């Protein structure tokens, strides 16, 4: 954890340095000394004396660090610790009246909660992020928040959303992403997140080539920054796009890349999902033995990581296949 006590400290003593005056002679005038003393006061004394900073950024830097650690925890599926990091980031941002920090903490917590399946609270965070970004005059953050809200409204995997409503929601997300992307040149991680939203919208609309283009760009951003878990997830999403398009061999290639990055990150939850998806793709191809082996591998990984609910899902897929 970041030690934030420095924010509350006061400097009770100042470093002292001696400035030694060497007058030219005994006749040095008091006036000359007075002028020199005035110059010392104006210039801050000796060059080695401590200077006061023009701006203190300890709390803001600590807030940004907490957000980064929360994002990393969320990418690993460690949502409980991610919540703690984001709570501390929020506290620091509020205490320093750090507007961008407030918005970023809300956006990141919204992403984590969405990934954890807590859709309602995720959308609340995203909506508050949008409201604060718009009010504070941060158009890039406001646009990213709008795209994030639209992503939460997408209908994929939701039985309560009709086909017509699903298409309308996909168009809403597509539009929000298109409006946000040109504003995010200086925000690579937010841009990558919005690219995922764009890809999922295009996938829902059947525009598989566009979806793939967006995900490859997001993967490039994450790979360049060595965000291994995020890179793995980009390739996982690309596999889902290719699978939906009926390109099963290419979906398996994408899953190979996902496994490569998740192995580098030792990301057990991601690896379990990668192998589970491989089983699904093999099953669609009619390769039952390969599917069974993949489901079994997935269940083993989840069991080793104590992810019991996921393990049950993998074993249920294996049992269904054997029927």
């Amino acid at each position: 954890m970041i030690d934030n006590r420095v924010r509350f400290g006061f400097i009770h003593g100042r470093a002292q340095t001696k400035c030694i005056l060497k007058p030219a002679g005994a006749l040095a005038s008091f006036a000359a000394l007075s002028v020199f003393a005035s110059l010392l006061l104006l210039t801050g004394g000796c060059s080695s004396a401590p200077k006061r900073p023009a701006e203190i950024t300890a709390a803001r830097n600590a807030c940004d660090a907490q957000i980064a650690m929360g994002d990393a925890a969320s990418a690993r599926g460690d949502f409980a610790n991610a919540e703690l990091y984001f709570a501390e980031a929020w506290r620091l941002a509020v205490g320093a009246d750090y507007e961008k920090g407030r918005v970023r903490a809300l956006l990141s917590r919204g992403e984590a909660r969405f990934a954890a399946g807590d859709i309602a609270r995720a959308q609340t965070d995203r909506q508050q992020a949008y409201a604060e970004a718009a009010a504070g005059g941060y158009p890039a953050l406001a646009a990213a928040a709008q795209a994030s809200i639209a992503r939460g409204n997408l209908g994929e995997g939701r039985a309560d959303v009709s086909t017509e409503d699903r298409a309308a929601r996909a168009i809403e997300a597509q539009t929000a992403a298109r409006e946000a992307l040109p504003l995010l040149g200086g925000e690579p991680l937010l841009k990558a997140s919005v690219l995922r939203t764009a890809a999922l919208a295009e996938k829902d609309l059947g525009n598989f080539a566009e979806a793939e283009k967006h995900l490859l760009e997001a993967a490039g951003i994450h790979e360049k920054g060595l965000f291994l878990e995020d890179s793995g997830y980009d390739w996982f999403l690309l596999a889902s796009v290719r699978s939906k398009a009926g390109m099963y061999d290419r979906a398996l290639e994408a899953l190979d890349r996902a496994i490569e990055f998740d192995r580098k990150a030792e990301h057990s939850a991601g690896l379990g999902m990668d192998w589970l998806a491989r089983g699904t793709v093999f099953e669609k191809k009619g390769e039952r033995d390969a599917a069974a082996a993949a489901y079994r591998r997935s269940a083993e990984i989840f069991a080793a990581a104590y992810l019991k609910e996921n393990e049950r899902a993998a074993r249920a897929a294996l049992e269904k296949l054997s029927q």
Side-chain angles (χ1 to χ4, degrees), residues 208-250:
F208 302 122
E210 280 295 303
E212 174 150 347
K213 184 184 77 171
H214 291 316
L215 287 171
L216 287 174
E217 186 176 354
I221 292 171
H222 289 135
E223 289 172 33
K224 183 177 180 180
L226 297 179
F227 294 95
L228 301 177
E229 297 94 342
D230 282 304
S231 299
Y233 186 50
D234 292 328
W235 284 100
F236 177 90
L237 289 176
L238 182 53
S240 75
V241 170
R242 290 175 175 177
S243 177
K244 186 173 182 180
M247 299 184 292
Y248 300 130
D249 289 334
R250 296 198 66 209

Side-chain angles (χ1 to χ4, degrees), residues 56-238:
I56 296 172
T57 59
R60 281 173 281 176
N61 290 342
C63 172
D64 292 341
Q66 293 287 329
I67 292 171
M69 288 188 286
D71 287 339
S74 175
R76 294 192 303 270
D78 185 2
F79 301 118
N81 277 318
E83 284 281 340
L84 296 177
Y85 287 126
F86 294 137
E88 178 64 3
W90 176 257
R91 186 187 70 79
L92 289 162
V94 170
D97 201 24
Y98 178 24
E99 291 181 329
K100 282 188 175 181
R102 289 172 64 109
V103 174
R104 291 180 190 280
L106 287 165
L107 280 174
S108 285
R109 190 173 67 181
E111 289 296 303
R113 287 176 170 174
F114 183 77
D118 192 349
I119 309 299
R121 288 205 300 165
Q123 292 296 81
T124 297
D125 282 341
R126 290 162 164 173
Q127 288 158 0
Q128 185 179 345
Y130 170 73
E132 294 202 12
Y138 304 108
L141 293 178
Q146 278 191 310
S148 190
I149 292 167
R151 180 180 179 182
N153 288 333
L154 284 171
E156 185 172 11
R158 294 176 57 174
D160 60 326
V161 178
S162 68
T163 303
E164 295 78 10
D165 192 19
R166 180 169 171 168
R169 293 181 185 211
I171 291 171
E172 176 193 0
Q174 180 192 59
T175 302
R178 286 178 177 175
E179 291 175 354
L181 287 171
L183 302 175
L184 296 172
E187 299 278 359
L189 294 181
L190 281 178
K191 183 178 181 180
S193 179
V194 174
L195 283 166
R196 286 177 178 172
T197 298
L200 292 171
E202 299 293 359
K203 176 187 174 184
D204 260 9
L205 294 169
N207 302 326
F208 302 122
E210 280 295 303
E212 174 150 347
K213 184 184 77 171
H214 291 316
L215 287 171
L216 287 174
E217 186 176 354
I221 292 171
H222 289 135
E223 289 172 33
K224 183 177 180 180
L226 297 179
F227 294 95
L228 301 177
E229 297 94 342
D230 282 304
S231 299
Y233 186 50
D234 292 328
W235 284 100
F236 177 90
L237 289 176
L238 182 53

